[in-house]
Amino acid sequence: MIRTWKNRFRQSIQLRLTGYFILILIPLVVISTFSNHRSRTILKNQIGDRTQSAMQSVVHYVDLTMQGVYELTTVLANNYDINRRFEYAGKVLTPQSILDFQWIDQQIAAISSVNRMAPKASLFHYDSGILLSTTGYQKEQNPEQLEWVKQAIEADGKITLFFPEENRYNANHMIDPIYNKNVMVVMRRMSLLNPERNKNIVILPLSKDYFVSQLRRLLPSSHAEAFLFTQDGKLIATTASSTATPPSWPDEGKDLIAGYLPGYPERMLMVRVTSQDSGWKLVMIQPEKDILQESRTLQGWTYLIIAVSVLISLWISWIVYSGISKPMKKMVAAMKEMRRGQLDIQIIHRREDEFGYVMDTFNHLASAQRHLIEDVYEKQILLTKTEFKLLQSQINPHFLYNTLDSIYSAAVLSDADDVGEMVINLSKFLRYSLGKGKEHYTVSETFNHLNYYIKVQQRRFDFEVTYRMGEGTEDILLLKLLLQPLVENAILHGLERKHGGRALEISAVNDGEWFIAEVKDNGVGMAPDRLQYIQQQLDGISVMNWDLSAGRDRMDAELYGLRNVKSRLKLHYGENADLVIDSDELEGTRIRLYIPRVECGSIQYMEGTGHEFNDRGR
């Protein structure tokens, strides 16, 4: 590929001019692209810094809110009166314990009312399994098996967070204050000053909607999403859908990342802020295109300038090429055509400058050369046709000798009827060959003529012959004696040297734009070097070489028939007509004649099925 373009660049003036003009534009394109990319990077960093500042404010506000919640749990856990009444209550509640729980319930409501983040504060009495809340009482069976109870006790007085994974309903068909997926439960054990620390628990369910409302204020567009995580990576709240999967942070060493993320079809900008007090992390994801919306106009103008510059360069190179290089290209193309034999080539132009004078001179020389060659060519064609007519009036001496030998042998060894059959076939064959000046016969007539010749040859040795005429080929006109030399070669050089199982096949078919005639034998075939030699000799035959008859003395006698067939084929049917030989040693030989369908005449076009018949010598 590189070599191909290198050769084109070296051989084309227009391509070089265009390349030089574009080369001048490369610094402009590079600088413009770099400036555009740099401005986009600066814009992303500036927006990222502003976003981080806003997110830091939200995180700080959440820390202050949670600090108030933690202080409320401390107040409830260290309330002396509540702890004392819990200590007097046992597993079985007495009337006094019930009165004490009512008093505690009032205290919970009074204390939690000062903090709007925890309006549903609860206390859990472990021994009785009673959960006291502002919404009523709830009896828990087997509290030692409850997940949130185990988590609070294991924390040993420290604040712990519990995230329910499902909704549960109590006996009043209300959502359980603990098992509610829309809340985050803050818990700690009570009586922090008691060294032994009982298992009673302070519970503050916090609605996630509060955190979501704070996150929504932070979003710069409807396509942005925010996620709030705890220090250990548990999701607290998000503005995304409930089924959305929180993204993992690609690089822990960076707080600002731009790129493609799993689950997002476009490039995204990720910004992260971590609280220094609680360790909570706030992550916001926003499509990069929303951030760079303002820079798109500038980017569009930049690309437009580059495109216009390239078009101007191409236009200028075309003007230069049309004025100087295009005339030279016309002359080069004309010279190439003349070199390939197109002698009637003329350069059409309207120039009156030096290039016009040179092109007029070329036209004059081409015209003079064409007239000179036409004179020589017409004489050569006349000579060739004369030789062909002389050839048609003669019969192969070898064939006559073999026929006479066959007649003599048949007369001695056979009845007179056999001799008569050979003589009549020979008579019909000679009558067709002479033809009384007729140059063309139909495919059907040609096959009948070949059959006369083959019946005579079958008297010399036994072989099977098959004729096949494809659909619509019977009435196609074919040049006289075009197939006979091929059949003769197949019999004499192929089948005669083979022992047993001899077969000859002659066929004619229409294949699209081509008429194909084929002579195929299963004889001794040809060695590869012999086949290559014959093909090389026949490849030199062309209408354009003006010498169809030359070189006869340089070729062996066996090639004379093939050379004659190909020469007549090219002369009568044009340069596209061809003769192709395929042969495998000891397997047989196949010779095909390819004739353009438009060059084949027909006495009548007929629709019908193909014909096939066999004839085997007796």
Side-chain angles (χ1 to χ4, degrees), residues 360-379:
D360 288 338
T361 303
F362 173 84
N363 291 338
H364 176 73
L365 292 176
S367 179
Q369 183 74 8
R370 183 179 69 255
H371 291 310
L372 178 62
I373 292 177
E374 284 177 352
D375 292 340
V376 177
Y377 180 72
E378 289 176 358
K379 294 178 181 179

Side-chain angles (χ1 to χ4, degrees), residues 170-241:
N170 55 26
N172 297 326
H173 301 289
M174 300 178 61
I175 295 181
D176 191 296
I178 304 300
Y179 288 96
N180 186 350
K181 292 193 299 183
N182 197 39
V183 300
M184 177 184 69
V185 183
V186 180
M187 304 181 298
R188 75 185 316 166
R189 291 173 60 179
M190 297 181 61
S191 187
L192 299 179
L193 301 178
N194 184 357
E196 297 181 357
R197 289 187 180 171
N198 55 39
K199 298 181 180 180
N200 302 322
I201 304 172
V202 177
I203 303 170
L204 294 180
L206 304 181
S207 176
K208 292 183 179 180
D209 292 338
Y210 170 79
F211 298 103
V212 173
S213 63
Q214 298 299 321
L215 298 181
R216 289 190 185 281
R217 298 177 183 177
L218 181 66
L219 300 181
S221 68
S222 59
H223 301 97
E225 299 175 354
F227 301 85
L228 182 62
F229 299 92
T230 61
Q231 185 177 5
D232 54 359
K234 292 184 178 180
L235 179 64
I236 300 174
T238 177
T239 60
S241 62

Side-chain angles (χ1 to χ4, degrees), residues 108-153:
I108 294 174
I111 295 174
S112 61
S113 63
V114 301
N115 192 322
R116 62 187 180 89
M117 276 294 296
K120 297 181 181 181
S122 303
L123 296 178
F124 179 68
H125 185 252
Y126 183 84
D127 292 337
S128 63
I130 297 297
L131 179 63
L132 291 78
S133 67
T134 56
T135 59
Y137 300 161
Q138 182 174 317
K139 174 69 175 177
E140 298 288 350
Q141 302 294 336
N142 301 321
E144 68 278 358
Q145 297 180 4
L146 295 175
E147 183 181 355
W148 59 273
V149 174
K150 294 178 182 179
Q151 181 176 332
I153 294 175

Side-chain angles (χ1 to χ4, degrees), residues 290-466:
D290 292 349
I291 300 173
L292 303 177
Q293 187 69 32
E294 298 179 359
S295 64
R296 285 186 176 180
T297 303
L298 178 61
Q299 181 182 3
W301 279 106
T302 302
Y303 291 153
L304 179 61
I305 293 174
I306 294 175
V308 170
S309 300
V310 172
L311 292 177
I312 292 175
S313 298
L314 295 176
W315 179 60
I316 294 176
S317 65
W318 177 256
I319 291 177
V320 176
Y321 167 75
S322 300
I324 300 176
S325 303
K326 191 174 181 180
M328 293 296 298
K329 189 173 182 180
K330 281 187 176 181
M331 293 184 61
V332 171
M335 291 178 180
K336 289 181 178 179
E337 291 294 328
M338 187 174 180
R339 186 176 182 181
R340 288 196 291 263
Q342 191 69 25
L343 301 179
D344 58 347
I345 187 69
Q346 291 288 301
I347 302 177
I348 301 176
H349 67 93
R350 296 181 180 179
R351 305 182 68 97
E352 298 180 357
D353 53 5
E354 292 84 353
F355 286 108
Y357 176 78
V358 173
M359 287 187 282
D360 288 338
T361 303
F362 173 84
N363 291 338
H364 176 73
L365 292 176
S367 179
Q369 183 74 8
R370 183 179 69 255
H371 291 310
L372 178 62
I373 292 177
E374 284 177 352
D375 292 340
V376 177
Y377 180 72
E378 289 176 358
K379 294 178 181 179
Q380 185 66 39
I381 291 296
L382 183 59
L383 176 61
T384 302
K385 287 185 176 181
T386 304
E387 290 182 354
F388 286 155
K389 288 186 177 293
L390 178 61
L391 177 66
Q392 292 173 7
S393 65
Q394 298 175 353
I395 302 299
N396 192 319
H398 296 288
F399 170 68
L400 292 179
Y401 296 153
N402 292 332
T403 303
L404 292 176
D405 290 343
S406 298
I407 295 174
Y408 176 78
S409 299
V412 175
L413 301 176
S414 303
D415 296 333
D417 293 339
D418 293 338
V419 176
E421 182 179 355
M422 293 181 62
V423 171
I424 193 64
N425 287 328
L426 177 60
S427 175
K428 291 180 180 179
F429 173 75
L430 292 177
R431 182 179 304 171
Y432 173 89
S433 300
L434 295 177
K436 297 181 180 180
K438 189 175 180 180
E439 294 291 334
H440 296 84
Y441 289 91
T442 65
V443 173
S444 178
E445 293 172 339
T446 301
F447 278 23
N448 288 333
H449 167 257
L450 292 175
N451 190 41
Y452 299 143
Y453 172 79
I454 291 173
K455 283 185 177 181
V456 174
Q457 293 290 4
Q458 284 177 328
R459 291 297 176 181
R460 298 178 57 243
F461 59 89
D462 184 44
F463 62 91
E464 182 180 348
V465 61
T466 303

Side-chain angles (χ1 to χ4, degrees), residues 440-606:
H440 296 84
Y441 289 91
T442 65
V443 173
S444 178
E445 293 172 339
T446 301
F447 278 23
N448 288 333
H449 167 257
L450 292 175
N451 190 41
Y452 299 143
Y453 172 79
I454 291 173
K455 283 185 177 181
V456 174
Q457 293 290 4
Q458 284 177 328
R459 291 297 176 181
R460 298 178 57 243
F461 59 89
D462 184 44
F463 62 91
E464 182 180 348
V465 61
T466 303
Y467 303 88
R468 288 190 174 88
M469 283 185 286
E471 181 180 358
T473 61
E474 298 92 336
D475 296 328
I476 292 178
L477 293 177
L478 203 60
L479 190 64
K480 182 171 64 175
L481 295 179
L482 196 63
L483 296 181
Q484 193 274 337
L486 306 182
V487 174
E488 181 179 353
N489 282 347
I491 295 174
L492 299 182
H493 302 297
L495 298 179
E496 187 174 5
R497 302 176 185 178
K498 180 178 176 66
H499 298 285
R502 304 180 181 97
L504 177 66
E505 181 178 317
I506 306 172
S507 62
V509 295
N510 280 324
D511 185 12
E513 299 179 356
W514 295 91
F515 169 77
I516 302 176
E518 180 180 279
V519 177
K520 180 180 178 181
D521 67 80
N522 66 344
V524 296
M526 289 183 280
D529 55 346
R530 176 62 177 174
L531 177 62
Q532 182 179 5
Y533 167 74
I534 294 176
Q535 290 174 340
Q536 289 176 351
Q537 295 297 323
L538 294 180
D539 287 343
I541 298 177
S542 172
V543 175
M544 300 307 300
N545 62 13
W546 308 299
D547 194 10
L548 298 178
S549 61
R552 186 184 311 169
D553 55 339
R554 296 192 299 267
M555 301 182 63
D556 54 52
E558 293 182 0
L559 298 186
Y560 185 73
L562 292 175
R563 183 177 178 277
N564 177 272
V565 170
K566 186 168 184 180
S567 298
R568 297 176 64 206
L569 193 68
K570 293 285 186 179
L571 180 64
H572 287 271
Y573 295 108
E575 185 63 33
N576 292 330
D578 201 2
L579 182 148
V580 179
I581 302 178
D582 292 322
S583 181
D584 294 322
E585 191 171 8
L586 303 180
E587 295 293 333
T589 302
R590 182 177 68 178
I591 303 179
R592 284 188 172 187
L593 300 183
Y594 289 87
I595 302 175
R597 189 65 183 85
V598 296
E599 300 291 339
C600 295
S602 175
I603 60 174
Q604 182 179 1
Y605 182 81
M606 300 177 59

